[in-house]
Amino acid sequence: MINRVLIRIKILQMVFAFYGNENEDSKVAENELLLSLRRSYDLYYYFLMLIVEITNLQERKLDMRRHKYRPTEEELNPNMRLVNNRFARQLETNEMLLRYAKEHGISWVNEMDFVKKVLDIILESSLYRNYMDSLEESYDADRDFWRAVFRKLICGNETLKDDLEDISIYWNDDVEIIETFVIKTIKRFTESDGNRQELLPMFKDHEDYDFAVNLFRHTIRNGDAYREQITGHIQNWELERIANMDLIIMQVALAEIMNFPKIPISVTMNEYLDAARYYSTPKSATFINGILDSIIKELKKEKLLLKD
C-alpha cells in the first residue's frame, strides 16, 4: 500500500532532518524512517475507522433526539439509512481492522471534534441528501456512497487535511496519497466477504521495504561522495549557496540512480523533479535537472552507469 512515491517523500524528509541534526545517528534516523512509514499505514486504518465512528456518532445523535422531551414525529422516526449502511456495518466487524486497531491503539476517542466535523460536512452535502432520498436499497449503493464521500467531500478538503496534520506530525504530506488507497479499498469490498474482507498490506511486497531501507542507507553512507559529484558539476555556484533541499533531492536521486539498476533513469528523474517543484523553490526543478543530467552523462561516458 505504501508506494514508492511516498517512500521517496519520507526519505527526503528523513535525510533533511539527518543533516539538520549534527548529532544524528544513521541507525536512529533509519528507525525514524520506518516509524514514519508505519504512521502512514496507521493513517490508512484511521480513515477506515473514521467511517465506523461517523456512523456510530450519527446513531447516538438520533437516539438522543428520540429520547428528548417532546420529540417531533421526525425525531421519533428518523431516516436510519446512514446508521444502517451495510458497508459501514461490515467494516465495523472487519477482522483485520479490529486486530490492527487493537494492536496499534488506533482510535478516534481523543479526536471526536474531528469526527463531528466530518459528519457535519456529510450531513450538509447534496451527496447525503440524494443518498437518503434514493429508492435504491442495496449493498452496492451503501458502499458507493462512502466511496463518493471520500472522493468528493474528504479528498482535497484543505481544512480536514490541516486538522489531520495537526493530529500527527507524521501525517504531513501523507494525507492525499493515503486517501487514494482508502478509495481503492472501499471499491474492492464485497458483501460476500463479510468480516474477512482483506485490507491492503503495508507494503505491496518485500521489495518495496528493501527499496526504502537501502535507498536511505546508500544516501547517507555515500553522502560525501554524492555531494562531491554535485559540487563538481556546479558552475559559478558555491555549495553553501545552493538551497539545502535542492542538494538533498540531488543526493537522494543519485543514490537511486546508481544503486537501483532496475529503475529507469527517466522514472527517477521525474519523481525527484516533481519533489523539487513541491518542496523547493520555483527554479529548483530546472536547476536540479541540469546538474543531474550533467552527472549522468559523465557517469555513462566513464562507464560507471550502464542503464538508461
Side-chain angles (χ1 to χ4, degrees):
M1 188 214 74
I2 293 179
N3 61 15
R4 295 198 175 186
V5 173
L6 185 55
I7 288 172
R8 291 181 177 101
I9 291 172
K10 291 295 185 181
I11 289 175
L12 287 173
Q13 292 172 344
M14 290 302 114
V15 174
F16 186 88
F18 178 84
Y19 283 104
N21 185 350
E22 295 180 357
N23 298 319
E24 185 70 279
D25 177 88
S26 61
K27 186 59 180 176
V28 172
E30 183 179 315
N31 289 337
E32 184 67 17
L33 169 65
L34 295 176
L35 176 61
S36 182
L37 291 170
R38 169 62 68 181
R39 292 292 180 259
S40 295
Y41 191 48
D42 286 350
L43 179 57
Y44 170 69
Y45 278 89
Y46 268 102
F47 272 134
L48 293 175
M49 289 286 290
L50 181 62
I51 295 171
V52 176
E53 289 293 342
I54 288 172
T55 302
N56 289 337
L57 176 58
Q58 177 66 357
E59 184 175 25
R60 291 194 298 273
K61 286 179 62 176
L62 295 181
D63 190 60
M64 288 176 62
R65 291 172 183 171
R66 189 183 296 114
H67 290 91
K68 76 176 189 179
Y69 182 66
R70 290 187 177 179
T72 65
E73 182 63 27
E74 183 179 356
E75 290 170 335
L76 283 172
N77 299 284
N79 187 333
M80 299 291 286
R81 186 168 188 181
L82 180 62
V83 171
N84 294 329
N85 182 282
R86 298 169 183 84
F87 166 73
R89 292 309 181 186
Q90 178 189 14
L91 189 59
E92 185 177 28
T93 63
N94 183 270
E95 291 181 352
M96 287 184 66
L97 179 61
L98 293 175
R99 182 167 59 251
Y100 190 93
K102 182 178 180 180
E103 291 175 355
H104 298 275
I106 304 299
S107 171
W108 286 100
V109 66
N110 295 321
E111 303 295 341
M112 289 308 297
D113 286 345
F114 179 81
V115 177
K116 183 180 182 302
K117 178 182 287 189
V118 180
L119 174 59
D120 288 343
I121 290 172
I122 293 171
L123 297 181
E124 293 169 4
S125 69
S126 58
L127 181 66
Y128 169 77
R129 291 191 294 273
N130 292 337
Y131 170 69
M132 298 297 278
D133 293 339
S134 174
L135 298 178
E136 182 182 356
E137 288 278 354
S138 68
Y139 173 86
D140 288 349
D142 287 353
R143 180 197 58 209
D144 292 346
F145 166 74
W146 276 108
R147 185 163 174 256
V149 166
F150 267 87
R151 286 178 56 247
K152 299 179 180 181
L153 303 181
I154 296 178
C155 289
N157 188 311
E158 291 299 322
T159 300
L160 295 181
K161 181 181 176 183
D162 290 343
D163 289 343
L164 287 167
E165 291 176 355
D166 288 340
I167 291 172
S168 174
I169 60 172
Y170 290 102
W171 293 345
N172 293 334
D173 306 315
D174 294 10
V175 175
E176 293 177 0
I177 294 174
I178 302 301
E179 284 171 342
T180 64
F181 286 109
V182 173
I183 292 170
K184 290 178 182 177
T185 297
I186 295 172
K187 185 178 180 180
R188 293 172 66 237
F189 261 67
T190 61
E191 189 172 17
S192 60
D193 281 332
N195 63 359
R196 295 190 176 184
Q197 174 77 46
E198 289 190 3
L199 304 180
L200 297 178
M202 182 171 175
F203 292 101
K204 180 182 67 176
D205 49 42
H206 201 74
E207 190 174 320
D208 278 355
Y209 172 85
D210 290 341
F211 172 75
V213 172
N214 290 324
L215 178 57
F216 182 77
R217 289 175 179 173
H218 285 302
T219 300
I220 299 301
R221 290 175 182 173
N222 303 316
D224 291 341
Y226 295 145
R227 289 182 176 223
E228 185 176 338
Q229 282 181 304
I230 294 167
T231 303
H233 287 263
I234 296 173
Q235 298 178 352
N236 303 321
W237 282 85
E238 296 177 1
L239 193 61
E240 293 76 11
R241 295 176 60 194
I242 301 174
N244 195 28
M245 181 53 77
D246 289 0
L247 181 59
I248 287 169
I249 290 171
M250 288 187 283
Q251 182 178 336
V252 179
L254 277 177
E256 183 171 322
I257 288 168
M258 299 185 71
N259 295 285
F260 295 86
K262 292 182 180 179
I263 303 176
I265 293 174
S266 59
V267 171
T268 299
M269 289 288 286
N270 287 336
E271 291 291 343
Y272 290 100
L273 292 178
D274 282 346
R277 294 184 185 98
Y278 189 83
Y279 291 102
S280 200
T281 68
K283 297 181 179 180
S284 289
T286 301
F287 172 71
I288 289 171
N289 184 62
I291 299 300
L292 290 179
D293 186 60
S294 178
I295 294 173
I296 290 167
K297 287 178 180 177
E298 181 179 89
L299 291 172
K300 287 183 175 180
K301 184 178 180 181
E302 297 176 355
K303 301 189 182 304
L304 296 174
L305 187 63
L306 302 178
K307 68 174 181 175
D308 292 323

